[in-house]
Amino acid sequence: MPIAASLDTLSGDEKRDKVTTQLNSITMFGALAFRYQHWLTGNSKISKSRFIDHVSLAIEAQANVNSTPDPTR
């Protein structure tokens, strides 16, 4: 999945487990699918460039979300 690969590449976090990457990519895919559908139907006043820029920033921000359990707790 391209989103998961992007998240893994951007994270740089050695303590990240695969479940975290899967959860993050599912979150991003669901949100993007909903917004993209809205944009495609012409119901959105958001420009294509603004949409692409926002998606890129959202993926970069999501890469830092890490719910990997801490074994010391």
Side-chain angles (χ1 to χ4, degrees), residues 28-29 31-40 44-59:
M28 289 303 302
F29 182 79
L32 291 174
F34 178 78
R35 288 304 315 160
Y36 187 63
Q37 180 182 13
H38 188 70
W39 184 74
L40 274 180
S44 179
K45 295 179 181 177
I46 302 168
S47 70
K48 181 179 179 181
S49 64
R50 174 85 186 260
F51 183 78
I52 291 169
D53 287 346
H54 190 84
V55 167
S56 298
L57 291 170
I59 289 173

Side-chain angles (χ1 to χ4, degrees), residues 7-8 13 15-27 62-69:
L7 293 171
D8 274 342
D13 187 354
K15 296 179 183 175
R16 175 179 301 271
D17 66 4
K18 289 297 178 190
V19 173
T20 293
T21 299
Q22 290 170 351
L23 289 169
N24 286 347
S25 65
I26 290 167
T27 300
Q62 189 72 20
N64 295 316
V65 175
N66 188 351
S67 64
T68 302

